[in-house]
Amino acid sequence: MTDAAKRRRMAEIVEILEGIYPEAVCALEHGGEPWRLMVMARLSAQCTDARVNEVCKVLFARFPTLDALADAPLDEIADIVRSCGLWQTKAKNIKDECIIVRDKFGGVVPDNMDDLLSLPGVGRKIANLLLGDVYGKPAIVADTHCIRICGRFGMYDTSLKDAHKVEKIMVKLIEPEKQSDFCHRIVQFGRDVCIARSPQCHVCPLAHLCEYNLKGQNKT
């Protein structure tokens, strides 16, 4: 498939997903606070969004502001986030990134990739989530759903698992103003239909646009 054909296919996929999920909502319930989204995104690594939401109800009740979390005792943060896994590293990252945002960036989450990547525990996935959701900038969040499903769509070989490479491919195939919302929709679609181990191709509204289905790879 040529790049032009891929762009046409993705435009149709984006349009269909917009119809299925008219509200492109981030699964992390951050209440519109950028620093909270930053914290929650760090906790979401190898953890479900549902658990992060529950844990952060406690975390943000105990430490309701960026300053409070920056000044919080590390052991208290760690105890609260323990159930999210990798809790010692995550707790330290959370405290340190809040300190840096407060002291270096005046309490404002940075609005550019370089500064975001300077924060402890922030990689390109989290940075793109923040750029898209907070600042409305073009951004592809190449999480596991995006990587798996866009590969199935035929945008690249399904063996490609490198998030940065997937990001670079997909930013060229989806219109800039559609990218951030697409990423939220593809997460929901991945949970509802295009499941990792058992994609529901027989009921998929995108089956006619999916190489995985068209080539019969869904047959067992």
Side-chain angles (χ1 to χ4, degrees), residues 1 4 16 32 73 77 107 116 128 132 139 145 158 165 172 175 183 185 194 197 206 208 218:
M1 198 184 333
I16 292 171
I77 300 173
L116 286 169
N128 277 311
H145 293 288
T158 54
K165 289 181 180 179
K172 298 177 182 178
E175 292 297 319
C183 293
R185 292 184 173 108
C194 198
R197 294 180 181 273
L206 300 174
H208 62 296
N218 56 330

Side-chain angles (χ1 to χ4, degrees), residues 9 27 41 45 77 84 109 123 125 133 135 138 141 150 152 175 182 196 205:
R9 178 174 291 191
I77 300 173
C84 292
V109 173
K125 185 173 78 169
D133 274 37
Y135 295 107
V141 180
C150 291
R152 287 176 175 174
E175 292 297 319
F182 167 80

Side-chain angles (χ1 to χ4, degrees), residues 28 39-57 59 77-88 90-91 94:
L28 297 172
V39 168
M40 297 178 84
R42 180 65 189 99
L43 288 175
S44 69
Q46 300 181 43
C47 183
T48 66
D49 292 339
R51 179 171 294 278
V52 172
N53 288 334
E54 288 303 310
V55 166
C56 283
K57 288 178 183 177
L59 182 66
I77 300 173
D79 186 58
I80 294 171
V81 306
R82 184 182 295 264
S83 65
C84 292
L86 303 173
W87 52 278
Q88 291 172 311
K90 289 180 179 180
I94 286 168

Side-chain angles (χ1 to χ4, degrees), residues 14-211:
V14 166
E15 183 176 4
I16 292 171
L17 288 175
E18 287 174 343
I20 299 171
Y21 305 108
E23 298 295 328
V25 179
C26 180
L28 297 172
E29 298 168 357
H30 55 90
E33 292 281 356
W35 71 270
R36 290 189 177 192
L37 179 58
M38 175 184 70
V39 168
M40 297 178 84
R42 180 65 189 99
L43 288 175
S44 69
Q46 300 181 43
C47 183
T48 66
D49 292 339
R51 179 171 294 278
V52 172
N53 288 334
E54 288 303 310
V55 166
C56 283
K57 288 178 183 177
V58 178
L59 182 66
F60 297 148
R62 177 69 181 85
F63 307 109
T65 66
L66 175 72
D67 286 349
L69 194 51
D71 291 334
L74 183 58
D75 60 344
E76 286 192 42
I77 300 173
D79 186 58
I80 294 171
V81 306
R82 184 182 295 264
S83 65
C84 292
L86 303 173
W87 52 278
Q88 291 172 311
T89 300
K90 289 180 179 180
K92 188 174 189 311
N93 286 165
I94 286 168
K95 180 176 174 64
D96 289 347
E97 67 187 6
C98 286
I99 290 171
I100 293 171
V101 168
R102 181 191 64 189
D103 295 348
K104 183 176 179 180
F105 298 108
V108 179
V109 173
D111 63 355
N112 64 87
M113 180 64 73
D114 288 343
D115 284 341
L116 286 169
L117 292 178
S118 73
L119 300 174
V122 174
R124 294 191 66 87
K125 185 173 78 169
I126 294 177
N128 277 311
L129 176 65
L130 292 166
L131 290 174
D133 274 37
V134 175
Y135 295 107
K137 295 186 176 184
I140 292 292
V141 180
D143 68 354
T144 55
H145 293 288
C146 179
I147 293 170
R148 177 181 76 255
I149 298 171
C150 291
R152 287 176 175 174
F153 287 155
M155 299 304 107
Y156 42 82
D157 192 281
T158 54
S159 65
L160 179 60
K161 305 300 181 185
D162 185 297
H164 192 188
K165 289 181 180 179
V166 168
E167 176 193 334
K168 289 195 293 185
I169 291 169
M170 296 310 298
V171 295
K172 298 177 182 178
L173 301 179
I174 299 176
E175 292 297 319
E177 69 274 11
K178 302 283 188 178
Q179 290 175 9
S180 181
D181 286 348
F182 167 80
C183 293
H184 289 313
R185 292 184 173 108
I186 208 68
V187 168
Q188 192 60 54
F189 180 71
R191 291 171 177 164
D192 294 345
V193 181
C194 198
I195 303 164
R197 294 180 181 273
S198 55
Q200 307 299 299
C201 301
H202 61 292
V203 296
C204 179
L206 300 174
H208 62 296
L209 298 168
C210 178
E211 289 297 299

